[in-house]
């Protein structure tokens, strides 16, 4: 992991789904770069409070908010609570997502709707609300997936569709937000070792053979790219899709 550099001193960041995995790595990285952090979670309060405690123990500022990304009012409230607690909101990372794998004949339509709500509508609602608070120079970073353009295993039609929608939304919003001086980008992880995609899971060896670098990524690999997009160095980058996939889609 790259050395933290204090580039986010004085900034406030909200990371959805920050209680573990990639979201937790982003929260820790932002905190080390100097930002005050809010994370959301849906069902893992202990993990969320552990992330908060760890950041505060290291001298940072952090808070956890229970907010199901599929629930519009909870998402709006999470954004508001962050801005009210810290007095501003500079960075929004839409990281929370739901993954269900299944072939079309067996895929439950309720799951389809829930995935759309969490993976697509949730980010849109969070962005819409965040724009009430975000100043010029603000940063929005969506966490998509390389699955939006590369699906080497069966059963990913719904998940890939939601991540494709997120990528398209990102590009279109880059146009809409340009005049406000706010950038928005989409980071597309490949196979990253988390609870969602464990490196010792049942299909891990097959998956590993598809990665050019030959191994799963670490959540910090994604956090490093996100930290760069949030930093002043990425001020002219907007509407981009950045793959962090170890060459999975090469
Ligand atoms: P994890 O399952 O490890 O963590 C997911 C996080 O999101 C948890 O903090 C979880 O908290 C939270 N979360 C899940 N559902 C909701 C919800 N409805 N509302 C609010 N929070 C929620 O996932 P990853 O870290 O692996 O994934 C993070 C992002 O990266 C996702 O967008 C995923 O699609 C993307 N990604 C991951 C890849 C991988 O290989 N790991 C590959 C490509 C993309 P709680 O348990 O409390 O719900």
């Amino acid at each position: 992991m790259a050395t933290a550099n204090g580039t986010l001193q004085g900034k406030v960041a909200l990371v959805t789904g920050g209680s573990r995995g990639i979201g937790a790595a982003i929260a820790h990285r932002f905190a080390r770069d100097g930002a005050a952090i809010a994370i959301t979670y849906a069902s893992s309060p202990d993990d969320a409070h552990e992330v908060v405690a760890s950041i505060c123990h290291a001298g940072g500022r952090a808070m956890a908010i229970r907010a199901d990304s599929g629930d519009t009012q909870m998402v709006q409230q999470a954004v508001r609570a962050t801005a009210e607690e810290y007095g501003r909101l500079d960075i929004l990372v839409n990281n929370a997502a739901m993954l269900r794998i299944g072939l079309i004949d067996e895929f439950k339509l309720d799951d389809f709707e829930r995935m759309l709500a969490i993976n697509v509508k949730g980010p849109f609602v969070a962005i819409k609300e965040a724009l009430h608070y975000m100043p010029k120079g603000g940063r929005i970073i969506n966490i998509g997936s390389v699955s939006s353009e590369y699906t080497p295993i069966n059963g990913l039609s719904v998940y890939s569709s939601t991540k494709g929608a997120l990528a398209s939304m990102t590009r279109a919003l880059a146009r809409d937000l340009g005049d406000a001086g706010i950038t928005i980008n989409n980071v597309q992880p490949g196979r990253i070792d988390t609870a969602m995609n464990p490196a010792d899971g049942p299909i891990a060896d097959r998956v590993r053979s598809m990665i050019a670098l030959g191994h799963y990524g670490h959540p910090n690999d994604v956090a490093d790219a996100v930290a760069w997009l949030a930093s002043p160095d990425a001020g002219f980058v907007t509407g981009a899709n950045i793959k962090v996939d170890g060459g999975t889609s090469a």
Side-chain angles (χ1 to χ4, degrees):
M1 184 178 198
T3 312
N5 48 29
T7 48
L8 301 184
Q9 210 65 48
K11 306 284 187 193
V12 171
L14 170 61
V15 181
T16 68
S19 59
R20 53 193 161 77
I22 292 168
I26 294 167
H28 282 295
R29 173 59 198 261
F30 279 179
R32 283 204 304 282
D33 283 349
I37 309 297
I39 58 169
T40 67
Y41 64 95
S43 58
S44 55
D46 292 348
D47 289 345
H49 290 117
E50 206 175 302
V51 170
V52 168
S54 160
I55 290 172
C56 293
H57 184 71
R61 294 174 77 194
M63 64 190 278
I65 305 165
R66 191 173 77 80
D68 184 331
S69 285
D71 182 316
T72 296
Q73 286 180 356
M74 286 180 117
V75 172
Q76 290 169 328
Q77 183 50 34
V79 173
R80 264 184 241 130
T82 305
E84 278 163 18
E85 174 67 19
Y86 296 124
R88 55 189 292 148
L89 177 59
D90 305 281
I91 303 159
L92 168 68
V93 180
N94 284 307
N95 166 77
M98 173 178 169
L99 167 67
R100 278 274 185 288
I101 297 177
L103 299 177
I104 188 165
D105 55 344
E106 67 197 25
F107 208 93
K108 293 195 182 89
L109 292 181
D110 283 352
D111 282 344
F112 183 102
E113 278 165 19
R114 177 116 175 96
M115 282 170 77
L116 269 181
I118 295 170
N119 299 6
V120 182
K121 188 175 168 200
F124 188 81
V125 170
I127 294 165
K128 190 172 165 63
E129 190 66 25
L131 291 174
H132 294 307
Y133 307 98
M134 203 169 266
K136 189 167 191 282
R139 298 277 195 270
I140 298 166
I141 299 147
N142 293 325
I143 306 300
S145 171
V146 75
S147 300
S148 71
E149 45 191 276
Y150 174 80
T151 47
I153 60 170
N154 294 345
L156 283 174
S157 63
V158 178
Y159 180 73
S160 301
S161 301
T162 65
K163 293 302 191 178
L166 193 60
S168 303
M169 186 201 298
T170 304
R171 280 194 303 276
L173 281 176
R175 291 274 171 203
D176 293 356
L177 303 184
D179 284 347
I182 292 170
T183 68
I184 177 165
N185 292 289
N186 192 43
V187 171
Q188 300 199 141
R191 310 304 161 216
I192 308 295
D193 183 15
T194 68
M196 187 184 275
N197 193 0
D200 58 359
I203 59 165
D205 285 340
R206 211 175 117 220
V207 166
R208 217 179 327 268
S209 70
M210 299 168 191
I211 306 172
L213 291 178
H215 62 87
Y216 272 62
H218 188 280
N220 289 342
D221 293 323
V222 182
D224 286 343
V226 172
W228 175 71
L229 285 170
S231 78
D233 288 350
F236 199 57
V237 181
T238 194
N241 257 323
I242 298 192
K243 289 186 210 167
V244 182
D245 72 348
T248 297
S249 56

